[in-house]
Amino acid sequence: MPFNALGLAPSLAQAAAELGFTAPTPIQTEAMPIVLSGADLLATAQTGSGKTAAFALPLLQHWLTHPPAAGSRPLQTLVLVPTRELAAQVGEVLRSLAQPLAQRPKIVVAFGGVSINPQMMSLRGGADIVVATPGRLLDLMDNNALKLGGVRHLVLDEADRLLDLGFADELGRILAHMPNQRQTLFFSATFAPAVEALAHQMLRDPQRVDVPAMASDVAVIKQRVFEVDDKRRAQLLRQLIKDNGWERVLVFVASQYAAEHLAAKLHKGDVFATSFHGGLSQGARKQTLQEFKEKRWDVLVTTDLAARGIHIDQLPVVVNFDLPRSAIDYTHRIGRTGRAGESGLAISFVTAASAAHWRLIEKRQGLSLPREHLAGFEPAEDAPAAVHDPEGTGGIKGKRPSKKDKLRAAATQKTDS
Ligand code: AMP
């Protein structure tokens, strides 16, 4: 089906074609007519499925059909994203799609970690579309650099992340400045039930689109599990990199310190590795990511900062050196590979201490993967007796029993005895 059969203006279909998008992806086919109709939308679509263009193209069309009156430029469209890198990436997609248009909207990208002054300058005289992280948007509002009273379209990209507790306060303040009469669009690869309930409070009669993982998406990610002793993980990783000649590997660890530490250790072992995490300056973050994209590093050791939305072309291998905290984070992490039809490999290291946690992730993912051992790295450790996991959750996030669950369990015990 061509783009214009979905109601997209020929100029925008042409703009998409210039980026090599000849036919819409499934999320684009489903979501674009809804976004064009002006309805609210809650869309789940896997990373790499083309969801940015699924909202970018119809929102550009809204702007083309409702251009600002001469002399005024109230902000019409606000796209909120959880990370600086994603802001830059979404801004780039919007700009590339708008580039060939005869009439182009003014698009401003704003995120923290860099000086606010250039962003304030670019907002002078208003903007049509702003892509921002919540904290910097609030700073700009506090500086009277922009107002949200004219916003007609609000997008939350990686919405479940923006709706979780870390952003709740900032999001509430932003929404309070926005008109109620607006179109709201939520896009994410995953929505936990509690987050979805919260999302529904913010949407008006939303349409729902769930695009299953594309065949060219998750299905092509081969998932493997290696059992290994905790202390030998770095050596195992080095060995796997050397044996397989991997040149582009994204390695996830649990903390900024671990990212630095592991990158340094690999570097000493003659692996071109560097780290990428939220403790770096914005300049360093940008440069490191760029260098990795340009293939100047073989290995990027990172935290969950890089798990969301970031697109890196030709990333064949993702390694969970430390397991993710939740099954949802697992989906986001492995989704960095196998994008846009390429094949991908996701490897998880499981130690005696993390085995119970892994079983839960597997269960939630509906997986049952064979445990592999690399010769010379067979695990010798037993599960530490000191691991205190009375709830049997494997420490998995969000699965602690509630007060109600505990009362219920106590009542059952009483009746059992
Ligand atoms: P996203 O899910 O928005 O991060 O997009 C993932 C990748 O798919 C990006 O590299 C896009 O350029 C590409 N893409 C998006 N839409 C299409 C399309 N209709 N045809 C081909 N590639 C696309």
Side-chain angles (χ1 to χ4, degrees):
M1 184 196 288
F3 273 106
N4 39 18
L6 300 172
L8 204 63
S11 58
L12 284 164
Q14 179 59 30
E18 286 187 24
L19 287 188
F21 304 174
T22 42
T25 64
I27 181 68
Q28 291 163 1
T29 306
E30 300 247 356
M32 274 190 196
I34 298 170
V35 184
L36 286 171
S37 77
D40 282 6
L41 173 67
L42 182 72
T44 44
Q46 296 299 318
T47 48
S49 60
K51 65 189 157 96
T52 317
F55 63 79
L57 284 165
L59 289 177
L60 286 168
Q61 180 147 329
H62 278 304
W63 182 83
L64 286 174
T65 46
H66 298 94
S72 85
R73 202 154 217 163
L75 179 64
Q76 276 194 14
T77 301
L78 175 63
V79 183
L80 288 175
V81 293
T83 68
R84 301 164 188 179
E85 285 74 18
L86 194 53
Q89 192 175 292
V90 170
E92 220 169 275
V93 172
L94 275 159
R95 284 194 180 122
S96 330
L97 288 169
Q99 179 58 33
L101 302 176
Q103 225 192 333
R104 283 194 287 274
K106 182 172 165 193
I107 300 167
V108 173
V109 176
F111 50 78
V114 291
S115 164
I116 197 169
N117 295 332
Q119 294 170 5
M120 288 180 54
M121 294 288 283
S122 49
L123 284 166
R124 279 214 184 135
D128 299 302
I129 301 176
V130 166
V131 183
T133 51
R136 179 49 61 94
L137 184 78
L138 284 167
D139 290 345
L140 289 164
M141 287 159 63
D142 290 345
N143 280 287
N144 286 322
L146 90 166
K147 292 200 165 37
L148 305 184
V151 170
R152 293 200 218 160
H153 310 277
L154 169 68
V155 182
L156 265 65
D157 193 12
E158 299 292 335
D160 66 332
R161 178 81 185 83
L162 287 167
L163 290 170
D164 86 15
L165 274 183
F167 284 108
D169 186 40
E170 290 173 345
L171 194 61
R173 285 173 57 203
I174 291 169
L175 290 175
H177 284 86
M178 238 177 260
N180 286 331
Q181 280 299 323
R182 59 162 198 265
Q183 179 182 40
T184 308
L185 310 169
F186 285 6
F187 282 83
S188 188
T190 47
F191 277 106
V195 172
E196 187 167 336
L198 184 63
H200 274 280
Q201 291 172 16
M202 294 169 57
L203 297 166
R204 270 175 308 139
D205 297 328
Q207 308 264 348
R208 171 97 207 210
V209 167
D210 293 290
V211 173
M214 284 199 289
S216 60
D217 205 19
V218 164
V220 296
I221 302 176
K222 183 166 171 50
Q223 300 173 58
R224 296 176 67 182
V225 182
F226 281 89
E227 287 182 325
V228 59
D229 285 342
D230 185 70
K231 294 256 173 330
R232 304 207 64 206
R233 285 176 301 164
Q235 282 164 285
L236 172 64
L237 178 60
R238 182 175 171 275
Q239 194 68 42
L240 286 169
I241 291 169
K242 297 272 172 199
D243 288 354
N244 295 287
W246 291 334
E247 287 182 346
R248 290 171 64 65
V249 189
L250 189 64
V251 179
F252 284 100
V253 292
S255 66
Q256 296 179 1
Y257 171 78
E260 297 266 343
H261 185 69
L262 180 60
K265 211 165 175 178
L266 290 170
H267 211 85
K268 273 195 202 139
D270 283 339
V271 175
F272 286 109
T274 190
S275 61
F276 175 76
H277 56 74
L280 301 174
S281 71
Q282 186 52 32
R285 268 164 73 164
K286 189 172 171 198
Q287 190 181 343
T288 306
L289 197 59
Q290 193 53 35
E291 287 175 355
F292 186 62
K293 286 182 177 179
E294 287 167 2
K295 309 190 179 176
R296 288 164 63 187
W297 297 102
D298 289 345
V299 178
L300 192 66
V301 188
T302 187
T303 60
D304 279 306
L305 171 69
R308 297 276 181 155
I310 293 174
H311 181 77
I312 300 166
D313 274 334
Q314 294 154 20
L315 179 67
V317 189
V318 166
V319 176
N320 288 311
F321 187 90
D322 289 324
L323 291 180
R325 289 178 62 203
S326 71
I328 284 181
D329 289 341
Y330 179 80
T331 306
H332 285 287
R333 283 185 180 186
I334 73 166
R336 298 307 99 212
T337 182
R339 290 167 73 87
E342 289 159 14
S343 63
L345 173 63
I347 288 185
S348 298
F349 287 175
V350 172
T351 64
S354 67
H357 185 60
W358 172 250
R359 279 197 297 277
L360 264 142
I361 293 178
E362 247 189 341
K363 193 168 155 201
R364 299 250 170 93
Q365 293 279 332
L367 290 170
S368 176
L369 300 175
R371 285 11 179 197
E372 299 181 47
H373 298 161
L374 191 72
F377 292 90
E378 292 84 357
E381 281 172 0
D382 288 330
V387 173
H388 182 63
D389 184 22
E391 291 141 9
T393 62
I396 205 158
K397 191 176 148 195
K399 264 296 143 190
R400 249 184 251 137
S402 66
K403 236 186 208 168
K404 247 191 215 163
D405 292 333
K406 283 182 187 160
L407 285 173
R408 238 180 258 134
T412 326
Q413 262 175 9
K414 264 186 208 152
T415 36
D416 287 347
S417 56

